[in-house]
Amino acid sequence: MIQLDYKSSKPIYEQIVEQMKFDVMKQYLNPGDAIPSVRKLALELKITPGTVAKAYQELERQGVIETIRGKGTFIASKIEMKQDEEKVDRIRQQIRTLIMELRMMGYEKKEIVDMVQDLYGEICSA
């Protein structure tokens, strides 16, 4: 289910958050689906429970998962897509930097736009 890249500069909890959200977008995980407990996922991934707990807290804050006391943790029954302007600003800066990098490597506007469209299609096609 979740594959971690221990050599990545991205923190492990962020990798878990990203992959869970990707699985929801691709409908590999659907509303109401149970997900492993913090302890179980930590054992499967061979990481500390605190790291999984941090990822789950972030996913819960974003409304992707919900914990029902005594029952477990599930994909939220209704996932609200909401905009976070601060996060959008950070992402815009990252995109700006990546576009500059691609231009410095010789890519033209059409090639960059095609690349973005291909990636969007990979992520958002169900």
Side-chain angles (χ1 to χ4, degrees):
M1 181 167 132
I2 293 178
Q3 304 254 320
L4 299 177
D5 180 358
Y6 296 101
K7 294 180 182 181
S8 172
S9 62
K10 184 177 288 192
I12 291 173
Y13 87 93
E14 286 183 12
Q15 292 180 47
I16 294 169
V17 168
E18 186 177 280
Q19 288 186 43
M20 285 267 198
K21 288 167 67 174
F22 178 81
D23 288 349
V24 168
M25 280 187 83
K26 294 297 275 184
Q27 296 179 334
Y28 300 145
L29 292 172
N30 296 297
D33 286 353
I35 60 173
S37 69
V38 167
R39 193 169 287 160
K40 183 175 181 186
L41 187 58
L43 282 171
E44 286 176 17
L45 298 175
K46 297 179 177 63
I47 60 176
T48 66
T51 301
V52 176
K54 187 172 183 178
Y56 278 19
Q57 286 171 350
E58 181 59 23
L59 286 163
E60 196 147 10
R61 187 189 71 73
Q62 292 181 22
V64 177
I65 65 173
E66 54 193 5
T67 301
I68 301 171
R69 200 167 186 83
K71 298 228 182 236
T73 305
F74 304 87
I75 300 302
S77 55
K78 185 173 184 218
I79 299 172
E80 287 186 36
M81 302 290 211
K82 57 185 173 194
Q83 294 185 4
D84 177 340
E85 289 304 317
E86 285 182 34
K87 190 169 188 176
V88 170
D89 287 342
R90 287 193 308 270
I91 292 169
R92 287 178 65 85
Q93 184 56 47
Q94 291 172 334
I95 292 171
R96 185 177 289 118
T97 300
L98 295 171
I99 290 171
M100 183 182 64
E101 296 269 343
L102 288 167
R103 288 291 295 134
M104 294 300 290
M105 291 169 45
Y107 284 85
E108 297 296 327
K109 178 181 177 180
K110 182 179 180 345
E111 294 171 301
I112 295 169
V113 169
D114 288 347
M115 188 183 306
V116 170
Q117 287 177 328
D118 289 345
L119 291 168
Y120 185 89
E122 285 176 23
I123 293 168
C124 296
S125 64

